[in-house]
Amino acid sequence: MKSLISMLFALVILNACNSNSDNNEAALKAKQATIDSMKMALEKQAVVDSMNAVMAQREEERAKEEKQQVVANSYSAPAETPKKKKWNHTAKGAVVGAGTGAITGAIVNKKRGEGALIGSLIGAGVGAGTGAIVDNSKKKKEKQQ
């Protein structure tokens, strides 16, 4: 009986030691996985940092080039900017007449699309004619002066 109890006691102790080593192995594996993931994160961050440094360096180079261009351009004679050509009264009248005629034609005619089309054509014609009259009168005033 003593030998049976001592064997049972030995089994319990061996089993307890064995399970404790399994727990230690699991804890070590978890720690190693954490360390590995931290190393990967650090490597990724190092790549991102190096890319940011390269981009900052490029931006500095561009800024220096732009400064050099601005300095070089500031010594040259200023170029005249071409004046925008304004619309003449004929074109303005045609556009305004077409818009007004389209709205009026759509309101008056029962067939909205047809009325808008006819109204825009008539309005464009009347607006262009009115604009041409205004243009001619301005030309005459300019010639007189």
Side-chain angles (χ1 to χ4, degrees):
M1 178 82 156
K2 285 185 182 183
S3 65
L4 184 62
I5 291 177
S6 59
M7 286 179 81
L8 188 62
F9 183 68
L11 273 171
V12 169
I13 289 179
L14 288 176
N15 194 16
C17 291
N18 193 16
S19 68
N20 193 14
S21 67
D22 288 342
N23 288 342
N24 285 341
E25 278 186 47
L28 287 175
K29 285 182 181 179
K31 286 180 184 178
Q32 189 62 38
T34 304
I35 291 171
D36 290 341
S37 66
M38 290 173 66
K39 285 181 182 179
M40 290 298 293
L42 287 174
E43 288 174 4
K44 287 180 182 178
Q45 187 62 40
V47 169
V48 169
D49 289 343
S50 67
M51 291 175 73
N52 287 339
V54 169
M55 291 301 292
Q57 185 179 10
R58 286 182 183 171
E59 288 296 323
E60 288 175 5
E61 290 173 0
R62 286 183 189 154
K64 286 179 183 178
E65 288 176 4
E66 287 177 3
K67 276 186 177 180
Q68 290 174 354
Q69 289 176 356
V70 168
V71 169
N73 289 341
S74 65
Y75 294 121
S76 64
E80 289 186 32
T81 57
K83 292 183 179 180
K84 269 188 156 178
K85 187 174 180 182
K86 295 182 179 181
W87 282 33
N88 60 15
H89 291 282
T90 305
K92 286 181 191 177
V95 170
V96 171
T100 306
I103 292 171
T104 305
I107 292 172
V108 171
N109 200 343
K110 290 182 181 178
K111 295 180 181 177
R112 303 279 186 225
E114 186 179 311
L117 182 63
I118 293 171
S120 65
L121 291 174
I122 293 171
V126 171
T130 306
I133 293 170
V134 172
D135 279 338
N136 286 334
S137 67
K138 283 206 171 199
K139 284 181 185 177
K140 284 180 184 177
K141 284 182 183 178
E142 288 177 4
K143 285 182 182 179
Q144 288 176 358
Q145 291 178 356

